[in-house]
Amino acid sequence: MSLEVKITAIHNNPVGKDTKEKLNDEYIVIKNTGDVSVSMDNWQVTDWRPEQKHIHTYTFPPFIDSSTWTLDPGEYIFLMTGKGTNVFIPEKDDKPPQFHFYWNKDWFVWNNTGDTACLYNSSGNLVHSLNVL
């Protein structure tokens, strides 16, 4: 059995001029590539760069729609920068099951270059990181 949760993509540069309406076009993608379910309660995503370490932090909640949740093998998390309601979307039309979480920020988090997205487990240990290209 393997526990492998990874940041697989950073969509950091929406097309066109940066406006508040495009905040949910900026997101990171996390996938459970292992073969065991993972409780993501209190896991965190941060941005990191040498001159601004961990200036933005998102902590995953223990509940979605009043229910506890786990990230099962093959499931994805999309963490959008903007506002919205956290939701689980079951597999549909060849799209894998996915969670949509919202950071509820009023402006963009990910720089077009130089940032690193960091994923920490509930014990504060770095699990995975990915550089913005």
Side-chain angles (χ1 to χ4, degrees), residues 1 10 15 17 19 21 27 29 33 35 38 48-50 56 61 63-64 75-76 109-110 117 124:
M1 295 193 340
I10 303 171
V15 176
K17 184 177 178 172
T19 63
E21 292 77 25
Y27 55 86
V29 181
T33 61
D35 56 13
V38 179
W48 184 91
R49 62 182 15 221
H56 301 100
F63 302 102
I64 293 181
E75 290 182 341
Y76 287 84
V109 170
W110 306 105

mmCIF file with all atom_site columns, all heavy atoms in Angstrom, residues 1 10 15 17 19 21 27 29 33 35 38 48-50 56 61 63-64 75-76 109-110 117 124:
data_model
loop_
_atom_site.group_PDB
_atom_site.id
_atom_site.type_symbol
_atom_site.label_atom_id
_atom_site.label_alt_id
_atom_site.label_comp_id
_atom_site.label_asym_id
_atom_site.label_entity_id
_atom_site.label_seq_id
_atom_site.pdbx_PDB_ins_code
_atom_site.Cartn_x
_atom_site.Cartn_y
_atom_site.Cartn_z
_atom_site.occupancy
_atom_site.B_iso_or_equiv
_atom_site.pdbx_formal_charge
_atom_site.auth_seq_id
_atom_site.auth_comp_id
_atom_site.auth_asym_id
_atom_site.auth_atom_id
_atom_site.pdbx_PDB_model_num
ATOM 1   N N   . MET A 1 1   ? 0.846   -1.176 0.000   1.00 0.00 ? 1   MET A N   1
ATOM 2   C CA  . MET A 1 1   ? 0.000   0.000  0.000   1.00 0.00 ? 1   MET A CA  1
ATOM 3   C C   . MET A 1 1   ? 0.896   1.245  0.000   1.00 0.00 ? 1   MET A C   1
ATOM 4   O O   . MET A 1 1   ? 1.914   1.283  0.655   1.00 0.00 ? 1   MET A O   1
ATOM 5   C CB  . MET A 1 1   ? -0.894  0.007  1.243   1.00 0.00 ? 1   MET A CB  1
ATOM 6   C CG  . MET A 1 1   ? -1.878  -1.124 1.254   1.00 0.00 ? 1   MET A CG  1
ATOM 7   S SD  . MET A 1 1   ? -3.236  -1.053 2.441   1.00 0.00 ? 1   MET A SD  1
ATOM 8   C CE  . MET A 1 1   ? -2.773  0.043  3.693   1.00 0.00 ? 1   MET A CE  1
ATOM 9   N N   . ILE A 1 10  ? -0.279  23.438 -11.799 1.00 0.00 ? 10  ILE A N   1
ATOM 10  C CA  . ILE A 1 10  ? -0.593  24.780 -11.314 1.00 0.00 ? 10  ILE A CA  1
ATOM 11  C C   . ILE A 1 10  ? -1.056  25.581 -12.522 1.00 0.00 ? 10  ILE A C   1
ATOM 12  O O   . ILE A 1 10  ? -0.306  25.754 -13.483 1.00 0.00 ? 10  ILE A O   1
ATOM 13  C CB  . ILE A 1 10  ? 0.632   25.470 -10.680 1.00 0.00 ? 10  ILE A CB  1
ATOM 14  C CG1 . ILE A 1 10  ? 1.196   24.632 -9.537  1.00 0.00 ? 10  ILE A CG1 1
ATOM 15  C CG2 . ILE A 1 10  ? 0.262   26.873 -10.198 1.00 0.00 ? 10  ILE A CG2 1
ATOM 16  C CD1 . ILE A 1 10  ? 2.534   25.135 -9.005  1.00 0.00 ? 10  ILE A CD1 1
ATOM 17  N N   . VAL A 1 15  ? -5.906  33.382 -19.167 1.00 0.00 ? 15  VAL A N   1
ATOM 18  C CA  . VAL A 1 15  ? -5.789  34.121 -20.415 1.00 0.00 ? 15  VAL A CA  1
ATOM 19  C C   . VAL A 1 15  ? -6.318  35.543 -20.238 1.00 0.00 ? 15  VAL A C   1
ATOM 20  O O   . VAL A 1 15  ? -7.335  35.763 -19.582 1.00 0.00 ? 15  VAL A O   1
ATOM 21  C CB  . VAL A 1 15  ? -6.574  33.391 -21.535 1.00 0.00 ? 15  VAL A CB  1
ATOM 22  C CG1 . VAL A 1 15  ? -6.564  34.189 -22.826 1.00 0.00 ? 15  VAL A CG1 1
ATOM 23  C CG2 . VAL A 1 15  ? -5.997  32.007 -21.760 1.00 0.00 ? 15  VAL A CG2 1
ATOM 24  N N   . LYS A 1 17  ? -6.226  39.785 -19.374 1.00 0.00 ? 17  LYS A N   1
ATOM 25  C CA  . LYS A 1 17  ? -5.888  40.659 -18.261 1.00 0.00 ? 17  LYS A CA  1
ATOM 26  C C   . LYS A 1 17  ? -6.392  40.076 -16.944 1.00 0.00 ? 17  LYS A C   1
ATOM 27  O O   . LYS A 1 17  ? -7.485  39.512 -16.877 1.00 0.00 ? 17  LYS A O   1
ATOM 28  C CB  . LYS A 1 17  ? -6.510  42.041 -18.491 1.00 0.00 ? 17  LYS A CB  1
ATOM 29  C CG  . LYS A 1 17  ? -6.135  43.055 -17.452 1.00 0.00 ? 17  LYS A CG  1
ATOM 30  C CD  . LYS A 1 17  ? -6.713  44.413 -17.773 1.00 0.00 ? 17  LYS A CD  1
ATOM 31  C CE  . LYS A 1 17  ? -6.324  45.356 -16.645 1.00 0.00 ? 17  LYS A CE  1
ATOM 32  N NZ  . LYS A 1 17  ? -6.684  46.729 -16.950 1.00 0.00 ? 17  LYS A NZ  1
ATOM 33  N N   . THR A 1 19  ? -8.246  39.951 -13.790 1.00 0.00 ? 19  THR A N   1
ATOM 34  C CA  . THR A 1 19  ? -9.386  40.626 -13.166 1.00 0.00 ? 19  THR A CA  1
ATOM 35  C C   . THR A 1 19  ? -9.960  39.691 -12.111 1.00 0.00 ? 19  THR A C   1
ATOM 36  O O   . THR A 1 19  ? -9.748  38.472 -12.157 1.00 0.00 ? 19  THR A O   1
ATOM 37  C CB  . THR A 1 19  ? -10.488 40.956 -14.197 1.00 0.00 ? 19  THR A CB  1
ATOM 38  O OG1 . THR A 1 19  ? -11.002 39.732 -14.735 1.00 0.00 ? 19  THR A OG1 1
ATOM 39  C CG2 . THR A 1 19  ? -9.964  41.846 -15.317 1.00 0.00 ? 19  THR A CG2 1
ATOM 40  N N   . GLU A 1 21  ? -12.796 38.579 -11.803 1.00 0.00 ? 21  GLU A N   1
ATOM 41  C CA  . GLU A 1 21  ? -13.691 37.584 -12.396 1.00 0.00 ? 21  GLU A CA  1
ATOM 42  C C   . GLU A 1 21  ? -12.948 36.322 -12.822 1.00 0.00 ? 21  GLU A C   1
ATOM 43  O O   . GLU A 1 21  ? -13.557 35.288 -13.042 1.00 0.00 ? 21  GLU A O   1
ATOM 44  C CB  . GLU A 1 21  ? -14.436 38.175 -13.601 1.00 0.00 ? 21  GLU A CB  1
ATOM 45  C CG  . GLU A 1 21  ? -15.429 39.257 -13.250 1.00 0.00 ? 21  GLU A CG  1
ATOM 46  C CD  . GLU A 1 21  ? -14.777 40.613 -12.937 1.00 0.00 ? 21  GLU A CD  1
ATOM 47  O OE1 . GLU A 1 21  ? -13.658 40.888 -13.417 1.00 0.00 ? 21  GLU A OE1 1
ATOM 48  O OE2 . GLU A 1 21  ? -15.390 41.378 -12.177 1.00 0.00 ? 21  GLU A OE2 1
ATOM 49  N N   . TYR A 1 27  ? -5.732  28.050 -10.302 1.00 0.00 ? 27  TYR A N   1
ATOM 50  C CA  . TYR A 1 27  ? -5.950  26.933 -9.388  1.00 0.00 ? 27  TYR A CA  1
ATOM 51  C C   . TYR A 1 27  ? -4.756  25.987 -9.416  1.00 0.00 ? 27  TYR A C   1
ATOM 52  O O   . TYR A 1 27  ? -3.928  26.042 -10.320 1.00 0.00 ? 27  TYR A O   1
ATOM 53  C CB  . TYR A 1 27  ? -7.229  26.172 -9.746  1.00 0.00 ? 27  TYR A CB  1
ATOM 54  C CG  . TYR A 1 27  ? -7.279  25.684 -11.172 1.00 0.00 ? 27  TYR A CG  1
ATOM 55  C CD1 . TYR A 1 27  ? -6.721  24.462 -11.532 1.00 0.00 ? 27  TYR A CD1 1
ATOM 56  C CD2 . TYR A 1 27  ? -7.887  26.451 -12.160 1.00 0.00 ? 27  TYR A CD2 1
ATOM 57  C CE1 . TYR A 1 27  ? -6.764  24.017 -12.842 1.00 0.00 ? 27  TYR A CE1 1
ATOM 58  C CE2 . TYR A 1 27  ? -7.931  26.018 -13.470 1.00 0.00 ? 27  TYR A CE2 1
ATOM 59  C CZ  . TYR A 1 27  ? -7.375  24.805 -13.806 1.00 0.00 ? 27  TYR A CZ  1
ATOM 60  O OH  . TYR A 1 27  ? -7.411  24.364 -15.107 1.00 0.00 ? 27  TYR A OH  1
ATOM 61  N N   . VAL A 1 29  ? -3.898  21.705 -8.907  1.00 0.00 ? 29  VAL A N   1
ATOM 62  C CA  . VAL A 1 29  ? -4.520  20.382 -8.975  1.00 0.00 ? 29  VAL A CA  1
ATOM 63  C C   . VAL A 1 29  ? -3.696  19.426 -8.120  1.00 0.00 ? 29  VAL A C   1
ATOM 64  O O   . VAL A 1 29  ? -2.473  19.374 -8.235  1.00 0.00 ? 29  VAL A O   1
ATOM 65  C CB  . VAL A 1 29  ? -4.593  19.861 -10.426 1.00 0.00 ? 29  VAL A CB  1
ATOM 66  C CG1 . VAL A 1 29  ? -5.268  18.492 -10.469 1.00 0.00 ? 29  VAL A CG1 1
ATOM 67  C CG2 . VAL A 1 29  ? -5.308  20.865 -11.327 1.00 0.00 ? 29  VAL A CG2 1
ATOM 68  N N   . THR A 1 33  ? -2.378  9.660  -6.061  1.00 0.00 ? 33  THR A N   1
ATOM 69  C CA  . THR A 1 33  ? -1.835  8.694  -7.011  1.00 0.00 ? 33  THR A CA  1
ATOM 70  C C   . THR A 1 33  ? -1.502  7.373  -6.340  1.00 0.00 ? 33  THR A C   1
ATOM 71  O O   . THR A 1 33  ? -1.015  6.455  -7.002  1.00 0.00 ? 33  THR A O   1
ATOM 72  C CB  . THR A 1 33  ? -0.565  9.256  -7.696  1.00 0.00 ? 33  THR A CB  1
ATOM 73  O OG1 . THR A 1 33  ? 0.426   9.503  -6.693  1.00 0.00 ? 33  THR A OG1 1
ATOM 74  C CG2 . THR A 1 33  ? -0.870  10.530 -8.462  1.00 0.00 ? 33  THR A CG2 1
ATOM 75  N N   . ASP A 1 35  ? -2.658  4.143  -3.442  1.00 0.00 ? 35  ASP A N   1
ATOM 76  C CA  . ASP A 1 35  ? -3.735  3.155  -3.431  1.00 0.00 ? 35  ASP A CA  1
ATOM 77  C C   . ASP A 1 35  ? -4.461  3.074  -2.091  1.00 0.00 ? 35  ASP A C   1
ATOM 78  O O   . ASP A 1 35  ? -5.137  2.088  -1.809  1.00 0.00 ? 35  ASP A O   1
ATOM 79  C CB  . ASP A 1 35  ? -3.214  1.780  -3.858  1.00 0.00 ? 35  ASP A CB  1
ATOM 80  C CG  . ASP A 1 35  ? -2.039  1.290  -3.012  1.00 0.00 ? 35  ASP A CG  1
ATOM 81  O OD1 . ASP A 1 35  ? -1.772  1.877  -1.949  1.00 0.00 ? 35  ASP A OD1 1
ATOM 82  O OD2 . ASP A 1 35  ? -1.386  0.316  -3.429  1.00 0.00 ? 35  ASP A OD2 1
ATOM 83  N N   . VAL A 1 38  ? -6.967  9.003  1.872   1.00 0.00 ? 38  VAL A N   1
ATOM 84  C CA  . VAL A 1 38  ? -6.230  9.910  2.735   1.00 0.00 ? 38  VAL A CA  1
ATOM 85  C C   . VAL A 1 38  ? -7.183  10.939 3.330   1.00 0.00 ? 38  VAL A C   1
ATOM 86  O O   . VAL A 1 38  ? -7.912  11.613 2.594   1.00 0.00 ? 38  VAL A O   1
ATOM 87  C CB  . VAL A 1 38  ? -5.123  10.646 1.941   1.00 0.00 ? 38  VAL A CB  1
ATOM 88  C CG1 . VAL A 1 38  ? -4.376  11.620 2.834   1.00 0.00 ? 38  VAL A CG1 1
ATOM 89  C CG2 . VAL A 1 38  ? -4.168  9.652  1.307   1.00 0.00 ? 38  VAL A CG2 1
ATOM 90  N N   . TRP A 1 48  ? 5.514   29.491 -1.806  1.00 0.00 ? 48  TRP A N   1
ATOM 91  C CA  . TRP A 1 48  ? 6.840   29.712 -1.245  1.00 0.00 ? 48  TRP A CA  1
ATOM 92  C C   . TRP A 1 48  ? 7.725   30.337 -2.307  1.00 0.00 ? 48  TRP A C   1
ATOM 93  O O   . TRP A 1 48  ? 7.685   29.962 -3.473  1.00 0.00 ? 48  TRP A O   1
ATOM 94  C CB  . TRP A 1 48  ? 7.456   28.393 -0.799  1.00 0.00 ? 48  TRP A CB  1
ATOM 95  C CG  . TRP A 1 48  ? 8.786   28.546 -0.126  1.00 0.00 ? 48  TRP A CG  1
ATOM 96  C CD1 . TRP A 1 48  ? 9.011   28.702 1.203   1.00 0.00 ? 48  TRP A CD1 1
ATOM 97  C CD2 . TRP A 1 48  ? 10.072  28.578 -0.756  1.00 0.00 ? 48  TRP A CD2 1
ATOM 98  N NE1 . TRP A 1 48  ? 10.353  28.827 1.443   1.00 0.00 ? 48  TRP A NE1 1
ATOM 99  C CE2 . TRP A 1 48  ? 11.037  28.760 0.252   1.00 0.00 ? 48  TRP A CE2 1
ATOM 100 C CE3 . TRP A 1 48  ? 10.507  28.486 -2.068  1.00 0.00 ? 48  TRP A CE3 1
ATOM 101 C CZ2 . TRP A 1 48  ? 12.396  28.838 -0.002  1.00 0.00 ? 48  TRP A CZ2 1
ATOM 102 C CZ3 . TRP A 1 48  ? 11.865  28.568 -2.340  1.00 0.00 ? 48  TRP A CZ3 1
ATOM 103 C CH2 . TRP A 1 48  ? 12.786  28.727 -1.307  1.00 0.00 ? 48  TRP A CH2 1
ATOM 104 N N   . ARG A 1 49  ? 8.477   31.313 -1.901  1.00 0.00 ? 49  ARG A N   1
ATOM 105 C CA  . ARG A 1 49  ? 9.574   31.861 -2.695  1.00 0.00 ? 49  ARG A CA  1
ATOM 106 C C   . ARG A 1 49  ? 10.581  32.403 -1.703  1.00 0.00 ? 49  ARG A C   1
ATOM 107 O O   . ARG A 1 49  ? 10.211  32.770 -0.592  1.00 0.00 ? 49  ARG A O   1
ATOM 108 C CB  . ARG A 1 49  ? 9.116   32.885 -3.717  1.00 0.00 ? 49  ARG A CB  1
ATOM 109 C CG  . ARG A 1 49  ? 8.474   34.095 -3.156  1.00 0.00 ? 49  ARG A CG  1
ATOM 110 C CD  . ARG A 1 49  ? 7.973   35.112 -4.177  1.00 0.00 ? 49  ARG A CD  1
ATOM 111 N NE  . ARG A 1 49  ? 7.893   34.622 -5.512  1.00 0.00 ? 49  ARG A NE  1
ATOM 112 C CZ  . ARG A 1 49  ? 8.244   35.306 -6.603  1.00 0.00 ? 49  ARG A CZ  1
ATOM 113 N NH1 . ARG A 1 49  ? 8.634   36.535 -6.495  1.00 0.00 ? 49  ARG A NH1 1
ATOM 114 N NH2 . ARG A 1 49  ? 8.154   34.779 -7.790  1.00 0.00 ? 49  ARG A NH2 1
ATOM 115 N N   . PRO A 1 50  ? 11.854  32.448 -2.048  1.00 0.00 ? 50  PRO A N   1
ATOM 116 C CA  . PRO A 1 50  ? 12.885  32.813 -1.066  1.00 0.00 ? 50  PRO A CA  1
ATOM 117 C C   . PRO A 1 50  ? 12.620  34.125 -0.334  1.00 0.00 ? 50  PRO A C   1
ATOM 118 O O   . PRO A 1 50  ? 12.841  34.217 0.862   1.00 0.00 ? 50  PRO A O   1
ATOM 119 C CB  . PRO A 1 50  ? 14.159  32.893 -1.910  1.00 0.00 ? 50  PRO A CB  1
ATOM 120 C CG  . PRO A 1 50  ? 13.909  31.967 -3.048  1.00 0.00 ? 50  PRO A CG  1
ATOM 121 C CD  . PRO A 1 50  ? 12.433  32.077 -3.335  1.00 0.00 ? 50  PRO A CD  1
ATOM 122 N N   . HIS A 1 56  ? 0.870   32.897 1.669   1.00 0.00 ? 56  HIS A N   1
ATOM 123 C CA  . HIS A 1 56  ? -0.531  32.479 1.561   1.00 0.00 ? 56  HIS A CA  1
ATOM 124 C C   . HIS A 1 56  ? -0.644  31.027 2.019   1.00 0.00 ? 56  HIS A C   1
ATOM 125 O O   . HIS A 1 56  ? 0.129   30.183 1.582   1.00 0.00 ? 56  HIS A O   1
ATOM 126 C CB  . HIS A 1 56  ? -1.027  32.587 0.121   1.00 0.00 ? 56  HIS A CB  1
ATOM 127 C CG  . HIS A 1 56  ? -0.926  33.959 -0.451  1.00 0.00 ? 56  HIS A CG  1
ATOM 128 N ND1 . HIS A 1 56  ? 0.097   34.337 -1.294  1.00 0.00 ? 56  HIS A ND1 1
ATOM 129 C CD2 . HIS A 1 56  ? -1.697  35.055 -0.294  1.00 0.00 ? 56  HIS A CD2 1
ATOM 130 C CE1 . HIS A 1 56  ? -0.072  35.596 -1.646  1.00 0.00 ? 56  HIS A CE1 1
ATOM 131 N NE2 . HIS A 1 56  ? -1.152  36.060 -1.044  1.00 0.00 ? 56  HIS A NE2 1
ATOM 132 N N   . PRO A 1 61  ? -10.537 21.817 5.023   1.00 0.00 ? 61  PRO A N   1
ATOM 133 C CA  . PRO A 1 61  ? -11.497 21.671 6.118   1.00 0.00 ? 61  PRO A CA  1
ATOM 134 C C   . PRO A 1 61  ? -11.785 20.202 6.432   1.00 0.00 ? 61  PRO A C   1
ATOM 135 O O   . PRO A 1 61  ? -11.583 19.330 5.581   1.00 0.00 ? 61  PRO A O   1
ATOM 136 C CB  . PRO A 1 61  ? -12.747 22.360 5.565   1.00 0.00 ? 61  PRO A CB  1
ATOM 137 C CG  . PRO A 1 61  ? -12.658 22.129 4.086   1.00 0.00 ? 61  PRO A CG  1
ATOM 138 C CD  . PRO A 1 61  ? -11.175 22.198 3.768   1.00 0.00 ? 61  PRO A CD  1
ATOM 139 N N   . PHE A 1 63  ? -14.784 19.004 6.941   1.00 0.00 ? 63  PHE A N   1
ATOM 140 C CA  . PHE A 1 63  ? -16.114 18.632 6.454   1.00 0.00 ? 63  PHE A CA  1
ATOM 141 C C   . PHE A 1 63  ? -16.423 19.273 5.101   1.00 0.00 ? 63  PHE A C   1
ATOM 142 O O   . PHE A 1 63  ? -15.962 20.373 4.813   1.00 0.00 ? 63  PHE A O   1
ATOM 143 C CB  . PHE A 1 63  ? -17.206 19.102 7.431   1.00 0.00 ? 63  PHE A CB  1
ATOM 144 C CG  . PHE A 1 63  ? -17.054 18.550 8.809   1.00 0.00 ? 63  PHE A CG  1
ATOM 145 C CD1 . PHE A 1 63  ? -16.514 19.339 9.829   1.00 0.00 ? 63  PHE A CD1 1
ATOM 146 C CD2 . PHE A 1 63  ? -17.437 17.255 9.106   1.00 0.00 ? 63  PHE A CD2 1
ATOM 147 C CE1 . PHE A 1 63  ? -16.363 18.836 11.106  1.00 0.00 ? 63  PHE A CE1 1
ATOM 148 C CE2 . PHE A 1 63  ? -17.293 16.745 10.385  1.00 0.00 ? 63  PHE A CE2 1
ATOM 149 C CZ  . PHE A 1 63  ? -16.757 17.536 11.382  1.00 0.00 ? 63  PHE A CZ  1
ATOM 150 N N   . ILE A 1 64  ? -17.203 18.558 4.315   1.00 0.00 ? 64  ILE A N   1
ATOM 151 C CA  . ILE A 1 64  ? -17.847 19.102 3.125   1.00 0.00 ? 64  ILE A CA  1
ATOM 152 C C   . ILE A 1 64  ? -19.316 18.737 3.265   1.00 0.00 ? 64  ILE A C   1
ATOM 153 O O   . ILE A 1 64  ? -19.653 17.563 3.452   1.00 0.00 ? 64  ILE A O   1
ATOM 154 C CB  . ILE A 1 64  ? -17.272 18.509 1.829   1.00 0.00 ? 64  ILE A CB  1
ATOM 155 C CG1 . ILE A 1 64  ? -15.831 18.950 1.628   1.00 0.00 ? 64  ILE A CG1 1
ATOM 156 C CG2 . ILE A 1 64  ? -18.109 18.953 0.631   1.00 0.00 ? 64  ILE A CG2 1
ATOM 157 C CD1 . ILE A 1 64  ? -15.207 18.432 0.364   1.00 0.00 ? 64  ILE A CD1 1
ATOM 158 N N   . GLU A 1 75  ? -8.723  10.197 -7.116  1.00 0.00 ? 75  GLU A N   1
ATOM 159 C CA  . GLU A 1 75  ? -9.503  11.428 -7.017  1.00 0.00 ? 75  GLU A CA  1
ATOM 160 C C   . GLU A 1 75  ? -8.597  12.651 -7.072  1.00 0.00 ? 75  GLU A C   1
ATOM 161 O O   . GLU A 1 75  ? -7.419  12.596 -6.716  1.00 0.00 ? 75  GLU A O   1
ATOM 162 C CB  . GLU A 1 75  ? -10.339 11.451 -5.735  1.00 0.00 ? 75  GLU A CB  1
ATOM 163 C CG  . GLU A 1 75  ? -11.473 10.462 -5.749  1.00 0.00 ? 75  GLU A CG  1
ATOM 164 C CD  . GLU A 1 75  ? -12.328 10.515 -4.502  1.00 0.00 ? 75  GLU A CD  1
ATOM 165 O OE1 . GLU A 1 75  ? -11.882 11.043 -3.454  1.00 0.00 ? 75  GLU A OE1 1
ATOM 166 O OE2 . GLU A 1 75  ? -13.460 10.011 -4.568  1.00 0.00 ? 75  GLU A OE2 1
ATOM 167 N N   . TYR A 1 76  ? -9.196  13.752 -7.499  1.00 0.00 ? 76  TYR A N   1
ATOM 168 C CA  . TYR A 1 76  ? -8.489  15.015 -7.656  1.00 0.00 ? 76  TYR A CA  1
ATOM 169 C C   . TYR A 1 76  ? -9.065  16.072 -6.722  1.00 0.00 ? 76  TYR A C   1
ATOM 170 O O   . TYR A 1 76  ? -10.239 16.022 -6.358  1.00 0.00 ? 76  TYR A O   1
ATOM 171 C CB  . TYR A 1 76  ? -8.654  15.543 -9.086  1.00 0.00 ? 76  TYR A CB  1
ATOM 172 C CG  . TYR A 1 76  ? -7.884  14.796 -10.123 1.00 0.00 ? 76  TYR A CG  1
ATOM 173 C CD1 . TYR A 1 76  ? -8.405  13.632 -10.698 1.00 0.00 ? 76  TYR A CD1 1
ATOM 174 C CD2 . TYR A 1 76  ? -6.649  15.246 -10.562 1.00 0.00 ? 76  TYR A CD2 1
ATOM 175 C CE1 . TYR A 1 76  ? -7.707  12.946 -11.678 1.00 0.00 ? 76  TYR A CE1 1
ATOM 176 C CE2 . TYR A 1 76  ? -5.946  14.561 -11.542 1.00 0.00 ? 76  TYR A CE2 1
ATOM 177 C CZ  . TYR A 1 76  ? -6.483  13.424 -12.096 1.00 0.00 ? 76  TYR A CZ  1
ATOM 178 O OH  . TYR A 1 76  ? -5.783  12.740 -13.063 1.00 0.00 ? 76  TYR A OH  1
ATOM 179 N N   . VAL A 1 109 ? -2.902  34.474 -6.241  1.00 0.00 ? 109 VAL A N   1
ATOM 180 C CA  . VAL A 1 109 ? -1.894  33.952 -5.312  1.00 0.00 ? 109 VAL A CA  1
ATOM 181 C C   . VAL A 1 109 ? -0.606  33.603 -6.048  1.00 0.00 ? 109 VAL A C   1
ATOM 182 O O   . VAL A 1 109 ? 0.482   33.926 -5.590  1.00 0.00 ? 109 VAL A O   1
ATOM 183 C CB  . VAL A 1 109 ? -2.429  32.702 -4.574  1.00 0.00 ? 109 VAL A CB  1
ATOM 184 C CG1 . VAL A 1 109 ? -1.328  31.993 -3.797  1.00 0.00 ? 109 VAL A CG1 1
ATOM 185 C CG2 . VAL A 1 109 ? -3.587  33.075 -3.670  1.00 0.00 ? 109 VAL A CG2 1
ATOM 186 N N   . TRP A 1 110 ? -0.740  32.933 -7.181  1.00 0.00 ? 110 TRP A N   1
ATOM 187 C CA  . TRP A 1 110 ? 0.431   32.355 -7.847  1.00 0.00 ? 110 TRP A CA  1
ATOM 188 C C   . TRP A 1 110 ? 1.033   33.339 -8.834  1.00 0.00 ? 110 TRP A C   1
ATOM 189 O O   . TRP A 1 110 ? 0.374   33.786 -9.763  1.00 0.00 ? 110 TRP A O   1
ATOM 190 C CB  . TRP A 1 110 ? 0.049   31.050 -8.551  1.00 0.00 ? 110 TRP A CB  1
ATOM 191 C CG  . TRP A 1 110 ? -0.592  30.120 -7.588  1.00 0.00 ? 110 TRP A CG  1
ATOM 192 C CD1 . TRP A 1 110 ? -1.925  29.826 -7.512  1.00 0.00 ? 110 TRP A CD1 1
ATOM 193 C CD2 . TRP A 1 110 ? 0.042   29.429 -6.524  1.00 0.00 ? 110 TRP A CD2 1
ATOM 194 N NE1 . TRP A 1 110 ? -2.143  28.976 -6.469  1.00 0.00 ? 110 TRP A NE1 1
ATOM 195 C CE2 . TRP A 1 110 ? -0.960  28.707 -5.834  1.00 0.00 ? 110 TRP A CE2 1
ATOM 196 C CE3 . TRP A 1 110 ? 1.352   29.332 -6.082  1.00 0.00 ? 110 TRP A CE3 1
ATOM 197 C CZ2 . TRP A 1 110 ? -0.683  27.906 -4.734  1.00 0.00 ? 110 TRP A CZ2 1
ATOM 198 C CZ3 . TRP A 1 110 ? 1.620   28.539 -4.983  1.00 0.00 ? 110 TRP A CZ3 1
ATOM 199 C CH2 . TRP A 1 110 ? 0.615   27.831 -4.327  1.00 0.00 ? 110 TRP A CH2 1
ATOM 200 N N   . ALA A 1 117 ? 4.453   25.781 -5.129  1.00 0.00 ? 117 ALA A N   1
ATOM 201 C CA  . ALA A 1 117 ? 3.297   25.314 -4.368  1.00 0.00 ? 117 ALA A CA  1
ATOM 202 C C   . ALA A 1 117 ? 3.776   24.175 -3.476  1.00 0.00 ? 117 ALA A C   1
ATOM 203 O O   . ALA A 1 117 ? 4.435   23.244 -3.945  1.00 0.00 ? 117 ALA A O   1
ATOM 204 C CB  . ALA A 1 117 ? 2.198   24.826 -5.306  1.00 0.00 ? 117 ALA A CB  1
ATOM 205 N N   . GLY A 1 124 ? 2.370   18.710 9.532   1.00 0.00 ? 124 GLY A N   1
ATOM 206 C CA  . GLY A 1 124 ? 3.249   19.796 9.121   1.00 0.00 ? 124 GLY A CA  1
ATOM 207 C C   . GLY A 1 124 ? 4.435   19.362 8.293   1.00 0.00 ? 124 GLY A C   1
ATOM 208 O O   . GLY A 1 124 ? 5.343   20.143 8.045   1.00 0.00 ? 124 GLY A O   1
#
